[in-house]
Amino acid sequence: MPLNQIKTYNQLLELNHLTEAQKTASLRAIFKRDIEDNEHLSFRGKKIRPIKGKDGQPAMDVLFDHLTKESKEIKDDNGEKIKSRKEWENDRCVRLHWIKHHIEERTPHAVTVFSFIDRVKDKGNVPRTYLYNTEEQYVVILEPYRTKPEYYLLTAYRLTKEKGGIKQMQQKLKNKLDEIL
């Protein structure tokens, strides 16, 4: 388990041999070190904050789920579609320690930073800033805070052809804003 805490970019975390409890502990330790307990985490001088919690769930727990678990749409008791994050997504988990590396822009030659207006269900048009690693096909998504020069850390994941991520990212890059928000 502590072996994962010494892994650096672009190594992958070793999780497959761990029990569920060990995997959770390993990922939580990295999350706490790099994000939750890191008061200095910022992107281009703007502080990074977690997305807001829902239904009383702490914001850091929501963020941890966004960074490690797969989103699936399910139907609730009323037949309404809701997003659920219950299953680990291996591609996200093994790259959890890459997030800080990208936010701190330690490999600027490999990362394209741009802003784009996303159409978000129930929110309308929302500006977002993308840190897109073209070599590793990895992206970190930030959303500018409305009232302060800060960012919400929304999510980070590896782009795959199966989910259309690479094509979508190239399309967003084509239509990027002139400035980074």
Side-chain angles (χ1 to χ4, degrees):
M1 209 164 35
L3 171 67
N4 282 331
Q5 292 181 30
I6 61 171
K7 295 275 186 172
T8 59
Y9 173 84
N10 65 356
Q11 298 172 321
L12 300 177
L13 300 179
E14 296 178 27
L15 301 170
N16 292 337
H17 67 287
L18 302 177
T19 66
E20 190 71 16
Q22 290 171 328
K23 182 177 184 174
T24 301
S26 182
L27 291 170
R28 275 286 183 183
I30 291 164
F31 177 77
K32 281 183 78 60
R33 177 196 68 200
D34 291 353
I35 299 168
E36 187 172 2
D37 292 344
N38 185 351
E39 294 176 18
H40 303 290
L41 186 63
S42 62
F43 176 69
R44 296 189 176 178
K46 296 179 181 179
K47 186 169 178 58
I48 301 292
R49 296 199 175 279
I51 54 178
K52 295 188 177 178
K54 300 179 214 170
D55 303 324
Q57 187 179 16
M60 284 296 179
D61 289 349
V62 172
L63 180 57
F64 180 75
D65 286 350
H66 275 256
L67 299 175
T68 58
K69 296 181 179 172
E70 184 175 17
S71 174
K72 290 187 177 182
E73 280 194 358
I74 60 171
K75 290 187 179 181
D76 66 8
D77 296 337
N78 300 327
E80 298 284 325
K81 285 184 183 178
I82 57 171
K83 281 191 177 181
S84 172
R85 292 185 184 273
K86 293 185 180 183
E87 302 294 321
W88 296 113
E89 185 176 327
N90 194 57
D91 278 346
R92 289 177 190 238
C93 291
V94 298
R95 292 170 178 82
L96 183 62
H97 61 301
W98 289 16
I99 296 167
K100 180 182 172 198
H101 175 91
H102 284 82
I103 288 173
E104 293 176 348
E105 295 187 277
R106 292 191 193 160
T107 48
H109 66 279
V111 178
T112 301
V113 178
F114 67 96
S115 292
F116 177 82
I117 303 295
D118 271 319
R119 191 165 308 196
V120 180
K121 183 180 173 185
D122 298 331
K123 289 175 89 175
N125 293 333
V126 179
R128 294 202 167 144
T129 298
Y130 290 80
L131 290 72
Y132 173 36
N133 184 322
T134 54
E135 290 178 1
E136 296 288 345
Q137 292 302 314
Y138 185 76
V139 66
V140 176
I141 304 174
L142 306 172
E143 187 174 303
Y145 204 81
R146 290 191 182 117
T147 57
K148 299 179 191 174
E150 298 177 352
Y151 285 106
Y152 288 118
L153 172 54
L154 297 182
T155 194
Y157 54 90
R158 182 171 172 260
L159 300 171
T160 61
K161 289 180 185 176
E162 298 83 39
K163 295 182 180 178
I166 296 169
K167 276 188 174 179
Q168 284 178 344
M169 196 58 55
Q170 290 169 342
Q171 190 63 35
K172 287 179 186 202
L173 196 49
K174 250 192 239 180
N175 297 307
K176 69 181 182 171
L177 298 176
D178 292 334
E179 64 180 339
I180 310 285
L181 302 178

